[in-house]
Amino acid sequence: MQETKKYIFNSLKDIYPEDEIRSFIRVILSSICGMPYSRQVLNREALLPAVAKEAIHRTVERLKTMEPLQYVLGETEFYSLPFKVDATVLIPRPETEELVDMIIKSSQASRKHVSILDIGTGSGCIAVTLAKHILNAGVTAIDVSEAALATARKNAVLNNVDIDFANADILQTGAMLAAFSSGFDIIVSNPPYVCESEKAAMTANVLDYEPHGALFVPDAKPLLYYRSIADFALQRLSPDGRLFLEINPLHSAGTVDLLAGKGFTDIKVHLDLSGKNRFITAKLCKELLSAMDCIVREKQDRL
């Protein structure tokens, strides 16, 4: 096994940082050889079968092209759960784990049934994890990509959870409202939010392999998806329901202004572990909105 570790390290040392290669080695040996890290440490001189060495060689060759390891292996871990991934879906990020953890913790005290909508589910990492960890949760997940939904459905089966999946486009608000006539207690989304102009700062393993439709928005419309999500939530978020959003830190103030302008309350920006404005939570007080409508109508009547 030591020889294999050296082969991986020497093959990739001119492409990746040393710490990342060591992480690759741990994951590759675990995934391909079924060896958890503890066994890798305790059995340093273990001999690997030829079939495993061949699989490792193929993996290394693909890593040389900067293809993400998760796509090469066809799997990853999110919130300690296994997920299948391929080039039709984004690779789940640690930041999104923080968003999921926020929702789970906020729902622990409630024993009532909680209806959840995940907009732009991708691999299904958010929807599946919430269905796994929130008791009495009814989870619906939508995506505009049928290919992504196929992957998400596999992950629901893999993790033994029931989720209602639907092909839907949040940008088509009218169709969304027609498709979903009942309300949701929680609406969560990690929509495309990276502006086209930010591509220059991104690495090749993201730009060359991950689906651009799930990542990017036009520079002129950085809040494109948030506007549609807010419009839908105004109609389908339950009284005192909550909105959970992952956001672009560069547009946190604009997202707050957007939500406030549409009547959301208790809007809070939350930092991720890197200290960036990464999440927004908000509530929808239907009583307040009704009162605001009454005031507007009274002013119009006086004119």
Side-chain angles (χ1 to χ4, degrees), residues 20-77:
E20 191 169 359
I21 298 174
R22 293 190 182 95
S23 176
F24 285 165
I25 292 171
R26 290 196 295 271
V27 174
I28 289 170
L29 291 176
S30 175
S31 178
I32 295 177
C33 305
M35 297 184 67
Y37 184 59
S38 58
R39 281 184 57 199
Q40 296 175 32
V41 173
L42 295 173
N43 300 300
R44 295 176 183 273
E45 304 305 321
L47 297 177
L48 301 180
V51 65
K53 289 182 178 181
E54 291 173 3
I56 290 172
H57 177 78
R58 292 193 296 270
T59 297
V60 169
E61 290 304 304
R62 290 174 67 177
L63 287 174
K64 287 180 180 179
T65 69
M66 296 294 290
E67 183 175 0
L69 178 60
Q70 295 92 332
Y71 288 163
V72 176
L73 299 177
E75 61 185 18
T76 190
E77 187 178 275

Side-chain angles (χ1 to χ4, degrees), residues 106 185-187 237-238 240-244 266 281-284:
S106 71
D185 301 307
I186 292 173
I187 294 178
L237 198 58
S238 301
D240 296 317
R242 300 193 70 188
L243 189 61
F244 290 83
D266 195 24
T281 57
K283 289 183 179 180
L284 184 59

Side-chain angles (χ1 to χ4, degrees), residues 169-171 173 191-193 195 216-231 255 258:
D169 184 356
I170 188 59
L171 297 182
T173 307
Y193 61 66
C195 290
F216 297 108
V217 289
D219 286 357
K221 297 181 179 180
L223 304 181
L224 173 66
Y225 285 90
Y226 299 99
R227 193 174 305 279
S228 291
I229 292 168
D231 288 339
T255 310
L258 169 67

Side-chain angles (χ1 to χ4, degrees), residues 173-232:
T173 307
M176 282 285 297
L177 291 172
F180 302 99
S181 57
S182 58
F184 296 94
D185 301 307
I186 292 173
I187 294 178
V188 55
S189 186
N190 175 22
Y193 61 66
V194 181
C195 290
E196 292 281 347
S197 58
E198 296 179 72
K199 285 183 178 179
M202 301 178 74
T203 56
N205 61 333
V206 174
L207 286 176
D208 294 346
Y209 291 97
E210 298 203 56
H212 285 204
L215 280 169
F216 297 108
V217 289
D219 286 357
K221 297 181 179 180
L223 304 181
L224 173 66
Y225 285 90
Y226 299 99
R227 193 174 305 279
S228 291
I229 292 168
D231 288 339
F232 176 80

